[in-house]
Amino acid sequence: MRVLGVNALFHDPSAALVVDGRVVAAAEEERFSRRKHGKRPVPFAAWELPEKAMAWCLEAGGLRPQDLDAVAYSFDPALAKPAEEMGLPDPWDWLRVQYAERAPQFIATALPGLSPAAVRFVPHEVAHAASAALASPFPVASVLSLDGRGERSSHLAGRYDHGRLEVLASQELPHSLGLVYESLTEHLGFLRSSDEYKVMALASYGEPRFLDDLREILHATDDGGFVAEAPDWTRWAPRRVDDGTWGTEHGGLAEHADLAASVQARLEEVLVDLATWLHGQTGDRVLTMGGGTALNCVANSRIWRETPFEEVWVQPAAGDSGTALGAAMQLAAEAGDTVEPMGSAALGRSWTDDELAGWLRTAKVPFTTPDDLPGEVAQVLADNGVVAWFDGRAEFGPRALGHRSLIANPGPVENLERLNDVKGREQFRPVAPMVLLEDAAEIFSGGPIPSPYMLFVHDVAPEWRDRIATVVHVDGTARIQTVDESTPRLQAMIRAFKDRTGLPVVVNTSLNTAGRPMVDDPRDALELFGSAPVDLLVLGPHLVRRADVFAGGDGAGGDDGEEHA
């Protein structure tokens, strides 16, 4: 089977290609269009397709539209109910459903040569579940999917056994843990369906003073579901309007941080209850997780620590972008293909070393191609420089994992403020550590190791907190990424940094500035390098030093862009 997966209806439009059960490519439309999240999650945008991502996936697989056996669309309009029947305040939801019904014609128009009959609908929560269980390295595993909403539900609990799904529980709307968290995000002045991770970060600055109240409102039920409808948040804290400034240390009143802490804590408790119930049904050793709620890395660590599951595997693109991959995998499995684990989140675009050099020469940027790139980069970091790191295939999902990363020295505590200034972010936002796998257990605990996708929070050993102060959050934790031989240039660089500083850790944050998608192609990298105070740009095996580019003081560059060994 040659299956193109498409996510388009709600937010984070994306595409993925699965051929003979193997993931060939996956990418989000935002990386091509340069619109953060691709589009806003409103019914009037539901017709927009990830046309650039779809076209690139086909190109990556060497396929034409007519070569596809199926296109998997991650929403089934036949399952939808009117919004008013589901208790959702969305008077235009019917328009979204009509767009979904016409998706076969829209996709066939975008991909000339494709028959509309090739488009098949995959239920949204099933697509999330498949993106977790089928993409994981475990042929038999429990699966938990939680997000804002699908057709008529917001949750699926089940089990995959060699490609076959058994659904054990599902939660009907309007009850939705994802929608509750989205509602809180909006109440706190952030962008709904976009900035939920900011609430998770803010929660560490507050006290869960309202937890007992929330336990009466949000709770699991004895059938694997839950009760969860957004309350009137003004009961605990006034609505905050984001005026572009934060005004206080915590970005608002203390009540805002306390409310964030309370909801975060209650979400964690409910997720632990749901996972524990699921284990009671399956007895499985492994839990896999998908859906946007699975990007809550604090909750994921509690599930790992407090439930009977021995291993927890979370889809790196757990949000809606991952449903393109899950839908394609689900159709492939249903057709009889043996679906292979995804293996890596590096499923996006890449360029050869010569092509990258061509980009630099075209831009007339002076660069070098050193014999010891890891060592030269490590020295810049040891001297407290900031490095833009662009190497290999782009990541699929919201986490920078050493392919499109902004890297710095984790020692000086002032580097957190410095990096947030570079990116134009709020100062309460943490940055994450990349750590050599062989050293991770000495520094970090309370979460799984290896942790290659930055989806769990770990406690930082007290004796290390001052040594790597930049990456330690206010509560003494860090969201780690372990680095091994799967990224050899990155691993060699961190080892060289360790040789110079004694620290097997570097700062990792996404290679972008606030409000913009992560850098994807070399032009994006050059634009960021030219507009942000970054000391060094790594473009594959090539290095661009800020001092060389601006040596003349007029931005013209120090030479004609020729390569130097």
Side-chain angles (χ1 to χ4, degrees), residues 389-401:
W389 181 278
F390 181 111
D391 191 29
R393 297 186 71 173
E395 299 93 339
F396 181 50
R399 308 283 194 240
L401 300 170

Side-chain angles (χ1 to χ4, degrees), residues 244-302:
T245 63
W246 280 87
T248 75
E249 180 183 359
H250 299 153
L253 299 173
E255 287 87 346
H256 292 133
D258 290 346
L259 181 55
S262 302
V263 176
Q264 172 65 32
R266 187 56 187 148
L267 173 71
E268 295 166 19
E269 292 176 346
V270 174
L271 291 179
V272 167
D273 289 343
L274 294 175
T276 301
W277 178 91
L278 179 57
H279 184 272
Q281 305 301 306
T282 68
D284 286 329
R285 189 180 69 84
V286 177
L287 173 66
T288 60
M289 295 177 63
T293 306
L295 291 172
N296 193 301
C297 51
V298 181
N300 293 346
S301 289
R302 283 197 64 175

Side-chain angles (χ1 to χ4, degrees), residues 22-46:
R22 182 176 64 87
V23 183
V24 173
E28 291 141 301
E29 185 73 2
E30 69 165 21
R31 309 296 169 85
F32 302 86
S33 69
R34 311 309 298 159
R35 292 172 61 196
K36 187 73 171 174
H37 295 296
K39 61 181 180 181
R40 292 300 302 140
V42 295
F44 310 103

Side-chain angles (χ1 to χ4, degrees), residues 118-364:
V119 179
R120 308 231 326 251
F121 297 117
V122 176
H124 191 73
E125 297 301 335
V126 172
H128 272 308
S131 79
L134 296 182
S136 81
F138 305 103
V140 178
S142 297
V143 62
L144 194 60
S145 166
L146 293 124
D147 65 351
R149 60 161 296 193
E151 297 86 357
R152 61 170 66 182
S153 65
S154 66
H155 156 252
L156 181 151
R159 185 174 196 256
Y160 270 92
D161 186 342
H162 293 86
R164 298 186 63 181
L165 170 64
E166 177 187 8
V167 178
L168 298 172
S170 180
Q171 180 56 57
E172 293 279 307
L173 294 166
H175 298 284
S176 168
L177 292 168
L179 290 182
V180 167
Y181 213 87
E182 287 183 18
S183 172
L184 175 65
T185 300
E186 186 174 50
H187 184 76
L188 294 176
F190 302 118
L191 187 61
R192 185 176 185 140
S193 297
S194 173
D195 293 346
E196 282 69 30
Y197 57 92
K198 296 183 182 181
V199 177
M200 185 175 63
L202 182 63
S204 298
Y205 288 87
E207 296 294 331
R209 293 192 292 121
F210 314 122
L211 184 54
D212 286 342
D213 292 342
L214 291 169
R215 284 175 176 147
E216 299 177 7
I217 299 170
L218 310 174
H219 58 84
T221 53
D222 58 9
D223 58 356
F226 48 83
V227 172
E229 291 189 81
D232 179 3
W233 301 115
T234 59
R235 173 180 173 186
W236 301 285
R239 182 179 179 88
R240 180 182 171 274
V241 177
D242 192 356
D243 60 359
T245 63
W246 280 87
T248 75
E249 180 183 359
H250 299 153
L253 299 173
E255 287 87 346
H256 292 133
D258 290 346
L259 181 55
S262 302
V263 176
Q264 172 65 32
R266 187 56 187 148
L267 173 71
E268 295 166 19
E269 292 176 346
V270 174
L271 291 179
V272 167
D273 289 343
L274 294 175
T276 301
W277 178 91
L278 179 57
H279 184 272
Q281 305 301 306
T282 68
D284 286 329
R285 189 180 69 84
V286 177
L287 173 66
T288 60
M289 295 177 63
T293 306
L295 291 172
N296 193 301
C297 51
V298 181
N300 293 346
S301 289
R302 283 197 64 175
I303 291 170
W304 180 82
R305 290 193 304 268
E306 298 178 24
T307 71
F309 288 106
E310 296 175 31
E311 293 199 51
V312 178
W313 192 93
V314 182
Q315 164 58 238
D320 270 12
S321 61
T323 63
L325 177 61
M329 286 183 150
Q330 182 68 23
L331 284 194
E334 290 176 0
D337 282 352
T338 299
V339 177
E340 299 178 13
M342 62 186 282
S344 168
L347 298 170
R349 290 190 288 178
S350 67
W351 287 262
T352 67
D353 295 349
D354 287 343
E355 288 171 335
L356 293 172
W359 280 85
L360 292 168
R361 292 192 183 99
T362 298
K364 298 189 182 302

